[in-house]
Amino acid sequence: MPSLAESMDALRAIADSAPVSALASAFAANGHEFALVGGPVRDALLGRPVTDLDFTTSARPEETQRILETLSGSVWDVGRDFGTIAARVHGETVEVTTYRAEIYRDDSRKPEVTYGDTIEGDLVRRDFTINALALMLPELRLVDVSGGVEDLLAGVIRTPASPAVSFTDDPLRMLRAARFAAQLGFDVEAGTLAAMAEYADRLDIISAERIRDELVKLLSAPDPAPGIRLLVDTGLADRFLPELTALVTTQDDHGRHKDVYEHSLTVLRQAIELEIARRAPEETAPDLVLRLAALLHDIGKPATRRFERGGVTFHHHDVVGAKLAKKRLRELRFDNDTIKRVARLVELHLRFFGYSDQQWTDAAVRRYVRDAGEELERLHILTRADVTTRNRRKAERLEHAYDDIERRIAELAEAEELAAVRPELDGGQIMRLLGIPAGPLVGRAYRYLLEVRLDEGPIGAEAAEDRLRAWYAEQPEANPEANGA
């Protein structure tokens, strides 16, 4: 953590920026308290980049909107019921929320909101002490009502109020504790950790969309594993991702040095390292599809575990896992594109293994590329990350094998436009050549030519026509009388 002087310099720089200075002056001129609050204050004190600007004020939402309209022509209602108004001020998007208190009733998924009158009252109701910090503006006065600065220095996550009250009021805070532990590398205080386990079933009142959003933020951390461990250890994962907890007691194929759960966390870490190493310079956003696939790639193992001849097998866990991933991500309200991509990666993650024992033909390589489609680069990363063996010789053999298959894919792609593998004849050409109308027969003919393309590479349009005629001559539709029609 930076020195106090460095931290205050960072806060002063934020306060002196054009949008913040304009906001502070406008609210002060209208007789209202105004403060930078929560994450931006925390991150400035920690020396982390400050990206979002969140403010709180004594003004009620209607007055906040009126003041913002004097500064910007772009003002909108983010959630008036929650007291939040947003605007674009000097090119920055800002959100201003009225001092508030909120609680969840036992049978409610939505908080009940009441407005407060003091910054101290607002801060006490916040999730954790490290976020219960405010910089009053324009006077540059730091308000810390619950020891948040001390907890930042100690690297501790705890609630301002008792954790029982805090997690009963808003159960989503339990997931946020896991997320902050991963993002900041902090430890959860013992009482707070115990309450996460005690009140885990309270998470059931939270909507799937809000749980999904927290999971996404957790997986976007540089190392999500500590947060995931907290979710599993406290029983929170059981409430929305029970397949993850089921991995804990599922031994790997050899039953020796790791269980499937530990293996999955290692794969996730290694996938993130490879993702960062291989991404283009302009790419900065975490690859959520890859990270979900890495975390979930083995969730089919518990359902497929069998004890055979003194060993453990997980036959078809890739196919079963893909189905489970679809089901779980759908229940968490992920979008269809993400669900499809993650499930495809889970289904394909075993396809490569065996290549090191017997090199594939060019046809097999083409099929691998065809089946992976747009997920080929992610599949490269996932397959490499899936090697967690402690046997150095085996690990090196697999690494060299994957280097080889990527080289062959690149060579075939350059020679054959592999990324767009398709037959030499399209559907229209097939219909004209065979004199047949659109229908299932055209699809069968197209698939036949695609298999020829995959097996043999480009053969040219003339050869493709000859092969198609020969194939059609053997079909029942070509000689209906001989087939009893």
Side-chain angles (χ1 to χ4, degrees), residues 344-357:
R344 190 61 173 152
L345 286 167
V346 173
E347 184 180 1
L348 292 175
H349 81 274
L350 288 182
R351 185 70 64 86
F352 164 75
F353 294 98
Y355 179 88
S356 59
D357 299 323

Side-chain angles (χ1 to χ4, degrees), residues 62 64 66 96-97 108 113 117 130 193 219 241 243 278 307 331 398 416 438:
E62 296 77 11
T64 294
R66 187 190 66 78
V96 183
T97 302
S108 173
V113 177
D117 297 313
I130 59 173
L193 184 62
L219 288 174
L241 198 55
E243 294 84 0
R278 294 169 70 125
F307 296 94
E331 290 180 356
L398 289 169
E416 304 179 12

Side-chain angles (χ1 to χ4, degrees), residues 36 80 103 125 167 200 324 328-329 338 381 418 431 466:
L36 182 70
R80 185 176 297 272
I103 59 173
R125 57 150 285 278
F167 295 154
L324 289 173
R328 186 57 56 192
L329 296 180
T338 296
I381 294 174
L418 199 56
M431 287 188 286
D466 292 340

Side-chain angles (χ1 to χ4, degrees), residues 385-459:
D386 200 18
V387 178
T388 62
T389 178
R390 293 181 180 180
N391 184 320
R392 181 177 298 179
R393 183 174 297 177
K394 180 180 179 182
E396 289 177 352
R397 187 178 78 249
L398 289 169
E399 182 178 359
H400 293 326
Y402 217 87
D403 287 343
D404 185 61
I405 195 174
E406 286 200 56
R407 175 188 59 77
R408 290 183 62 196
I409 289 171
E411 290 174 353
L412 284 171
E414 183 177 358
E416 304 179 12
E417 297 184 3
L418 199 56
V421 170
R422 56 177 59 88
E424 275 83 357
L425 305 179
D426 61 24
Q429 291 169 312
I430 291 170
M431 287 188 286
R432 287 193 296 272
L433 184 68
L434 300 181
I436 60 175
L441 181 59
V442 178
R444 282 164 43 207
Y446 186 90
R447 287 190 292 274
Y448 164 73
L449 290 176
L450 179 58
E451 290 301 312
V452 172
R453 173 70 171 82
L454 291 169
D455 284 336
E456 304 176 29
I459 63 173

